[in-house]
Amino acid sequence: VIGGGPAGATTASLLARRGVDVLLLEKSAFPRFHIGESLIPETYWTLERLGMIQKLEASDFPRKYSVQFVSGNGKESAPFYFHKFKPAKSSITWQVLRSRFDSMLLDNAREHGAEVRQSTRVRNVLFEERRAVGVALAANGRSEETIRASVVVDATGQSSFMARKLDLKRPDRRLRKAAIFAHFRGAHRDSGIDEGATLIIYVRENLGWFWYIPLPDDLVSVGLVGDPGFLIAGRGDDPAKTFFEEIDLCPALRSRLSKADIPSKVHVANDFSYGSSEIAGDGWVSVGDALGFLDPIYSSGVFLALVSGEMAADAIYAALRKGDTSGAVLSTFRGRLESGLDAFRNIIYAFYTPGFSFKRFLEHHPDHHGNLVSLLMGDVFRPEVHEIFTPLSQYCESVHSTTLAVGERPVS
Ligand SMILES: Cc1cc2nc3c(=O)[nH]c(=O)nc-3n(C[C@H](O)[C@H](O)[C@H](O)COP(=O)(O)OP(=O)(O)OC[C@H]3O[C@@H](n4cnc5c(N)ncnc54)[C@H](O)[C@@H]3O)c2cc1C
C-alpha cells in the first residue's frame, strides 16, 4: 500500500486483519499536517469496522452535531442537526485534527498486523508486461530497493501516482477551485452541542465561501474557497494577503477571529478536482484521493477515502482467495463507488450553479427533503436517494438560464 492517509490505512487494516501480508509505505514521518478535517456522519460505519469508534470517543476531537450556513452579511441560518433528522449515534460525528487522526488510523493498521514504514517514498511501480508486480523505493544514498507484491494499492492522495503514470487522471473542469487556509488559535467557539458545528460562511457577493471548523487545542480551521481567478490570478502573488483581506470583509469571520492569534502558516491548494478513468488494473487498485477528489464543500473527501479503502480491501481479499488479481476482478466495486461519487458530484455542481438555492429547490420539491439530507450525511449509495437528481438537474438548468438572463450573481 503506497500512502498512509485514511484510504491507505483503511485498506491496510482491513486486509491485515484477515491475515493478508501487508506492507504500507508512507513518505512522511507522522504526525504531519493535512487538510480535510470535517467528517460526515456516514463515516461511522467504516470507522466502526476499523475498530476506531472507541478511540475516537476517547479523543478530544470536537463532536460535530450540525452544519450552519451564514450569509455574506452575517445572517445565520438555523443549525442543521443531523441527529434530529436521524436519531442515531452514527449521526454525531467528529472534527478531526488530521495530524492526530491520520496517526491514529496508521497505528490502527499496525495493530491489525500491517507492517508500516514511514519516511519511505515509493519512486516507481514496477510492471511486467501490463501487470503491476511491486514497487521501487527511493534510494536514499543506498542501492534502490525493490519489493514485489501480488497487489499494489495506490493511496498516494492528490499525488495520484498510478493515474499520472498511466495517464488516467481527468481534471473536472466544472470544479476548478482554489483554497487558502490556516489554523487560528483562540477564535470564537459556540457552546454546548454547537461547539463543533461546521460553519459555511459566504464571501461578499457570493464570490466564494469560507469553512470554519473547530478543532482540539483551541484551534479553528478556516479556509477560503473560490475560483482561482478570484483568489490567486487576479490578486497578485500573495495568497495570505488575499486571505486576510477577505476575512476582514466578512463580518461573521471578523468578529469570530477578532481575539485569535494570526496563524504562522497559510496554505494554498489549487485545481484539486479530478477523477481517474480506471480504478484498477492487473495487479493494482487506486483508493481515496489517488482515484479522485471532488471539492471541499460537503466534506466528502475522508468519507470517500474510507469507503473506497474498505471496498478495495474486500475486492483484494476476494481476488487473492480466488487466485485472480486481474483488473477485472479487482475493479468489482467500481459501479457502487461511482454511484456514490456521482451523487456527491451532482449536489456539488448544484451548489456552484449560479442562482441555485437548496431552500428554494425544496420549496418546489418538499418530497425530496429526506433525500437531500441523506446525501449531505453521506448516505449516497442507496438507489432511492438518487431519485432527487432528475428534479435537481432540471431545477439547476432553470435557475442557471434565468440567472444568466438577468445577469445576477450566484446566491446561496
Ligand atoms: C482545500 C481542501 C479542503 C478539504 N476539506 C475536507 C473536509 O473538511 N472534510 C473531508 O472529509 N475532506 C476534505 N478534504 C479532502 C481530504 O483532504 C482528502 O479527501 C483525504 O485526505 C483523502 O485521503 P487519502 O488517504 O486518499 O489521501 P491523503 O490523506 O492525502 O494521504 C496520502 C498519503 O500518501 C503519501 N504519499 C504520497 N505519495 C507517496 C509516495 N510516492 N510514497 C509514499 N507515500 C506517498 C502522502 O504523504 C500522504 O500521507 C479537503 C481537501 C482540500 C483540497
Side-chain angles (χ1 to χ4, degrees):
V1 179
I2 318 170
T10 299
T11 311
S13 294
L14 296 179
L15 283 171
R17 192 165 73 182
R18 286 194 267 186
V20 176
D21 255 346
V22 181
L23 173 63
L24 185 150
L25 303 161
E26 164 57 52
K27 71 176 179 189
S28 327
F30 278 27
R32 51 100 177 91
F33 175 86
H34 206 293
I35 198 59
E37 296 143 329
S38 192
L39 303 189
I40 52 173
E42 288 290 304
T43 51
Y44 187 91
W45 308 109
T46 310
L47 292 168
E48 183 181 58
R49 194 169 161 200
L50 287 167
M52 287 293 298
I53 296 297
Q54 275 191 334
K55 295 177 186 179
L56 287 164
E57 277 170 355
S59 74
D60 58 356
F61 297 142
R63 304 300 308 262
K64 173 183 166 186
Y65 286 76
S66 65
V67 176
Q68 188 177 18
F69 288 83
V70 184
S71 72
N73 58 19
K75 192 162 167 265
E76 297 179 7
S77 71
F80 177 80
Y81 296 106
F82 302 121
H83 67 290
K84 288 201 175 155
F85 173 75
K86 188 175 169 189
K89 60 180 177 177
S90 58
S91 299
I92 302 162
T93 187
W94 291 273
Q95 309 284 23
V96 298
L97 193 59
R98 283 289 301 274
S99 52
R100 222 174 273 167
F101 178 72
D102 289 14
S103 294
M104 287 165 72
L105 285 170
L106 202 56
D107 288 346
N108 193 58
R110 208 181 281 112
E111 286 160 23
H112 280 99
E115 180 186 341
V116 175
R117 279 200 224 167
Q118 297 187 40
S119 307
T120 305
R121 179 191 290 271
V122 169
R123 202 184 51 77
N124 204 0
V125 174
L126 307 172
F127 276 80
E128 283 175 3
E129 296 176 1
R130 291 169 57 85
R131 163 172 291 273
V133 293
V135 295
L137 307 185
N140 274 341
R142 303 186 304 275
S143 60
E144 186 178 88
E145 184 182 355
T146 58
I147 297 170
R148 291 186 74 87
S150 314
V151 180
V152 175
V153 178
D154 179 8
T156 55
Q158 296 247 337
S159 305
S160 294
F161 196 101
M162 291 299 269
R164 278 183 210 271
K165 182 177 168 79
L166 303 178
D167 196 21
L168 307 171
K169 195 163 179 174
R170 304 284 177 264
D172 188 328
R173 306 217 180 273
R174 278 182 74 175
L175 293 176
R176 281 196 69 236
K177 304 286 172 206
I180 312 174
F181 45 96
H183 283 172
F184 290 78
R185 195 180 299 276
H188 171 80
R189 297 169 95 88
D190 284 321
S191 56
I193 63 168
D194 294 331
E195 184 189 351
T198 291
L199 303 187
I200 305 290
I201 303 172
Y202 289 91
V203 171
R204 62 194 166 97
E205 301 168 59
N206 293 317
L207 287 164
W209 58 276
F210 285 100
W211 73 71
Y212 190 89
I213 299 174
L215 294 174
D217 304 342
D218 199 20
L219 295 175
V220 172
S221 171
V222 178
L224 168 60
V225 182
D227 290 338
F230 166 59
L231 290 189
I232 316 251
R235 301 289 281 266
D237 57 2
D238 188 354
K241 184 163 165 275
T242 304
F243 187 53
F244 292 117
E245 272 170 13
E246 290 303 328
I247 287 174
D248 223 38
L249 291 167
C250 177
L253 267 185
R254 214 170 43 229
S255 60
R256 283 177 169 81
L257 296 177
S258 64
K259 294 191 180 123
D261 289 348
I262 300 290
S264 52
K265 185 150 172 57
V266 175
H267 304 261
V268 180
N270 205 347
D271 223 353
F272 35 67
S273 306
Y274 56 88
S276 177
S277 56
E278 296 294 340
I279 66 168
D282 293 348
W284 65 270
V285 185
S286 288
V287 291
D289 276 13
L291 189 56
F293 177 65
L294 293 165
D295 190 85
I297 192 75
Y298 307 136
S299 304
S300 57
V302 172
F303 168 78
L304 289 167
L306 293 171
V307 294
S308 62
E310 181 181 4
M311 290 178 187
D314 291 341
I316 293 167
Y317 185 69
L320 291 173
R321 280 182 62 116
K322 203 172 171 190
D324 178 359
T325 53
S326 62
V329 173
L330 290 172
S331 59
T332 44
F333 63 100
R334 180 184 186 136
R336 181 166 163 77
L337 184 64
E338 275 181 355
S339 76
L341 278 164
D342 286 347
F344 276 119
R345 191 178 294 111
N346 282 333
I347 53 170
I348 292 168
Y349 285 170
F351 176 82
Y352 286 116
T353 300
F356 182 83
S357 149
F358 276 121
K359 190 163 163 262
R360 267 179 271 139
F361 168 74
L362 290 176
E363 280 162 14
H364 289 85
H365 299 281
D367 48 322
H368 284 297
H369 180 266
N371 287 337
L372 178 62
V373 179
S374 294
L375 289 170
L376 296 176
M377 291 173 74
D379 181 10
V380 289
F381 298 112
R382 243 180 342 114
E384 308 87 276
V385 176
H386 291 220
E387 286 165 12
I388 193 174
F389 292 128
T390 304
L392 190 67
S393 83
Q394 285 164 351
Y395 179 77
C396 284
E397 270 167 38
S398 75
V399 288
H400 193 191
S401 49
T402 317
T403 305
L404 290 181
V406 296
E408 281 176 10
R409 288 204 175 278
V411 292
S412 58

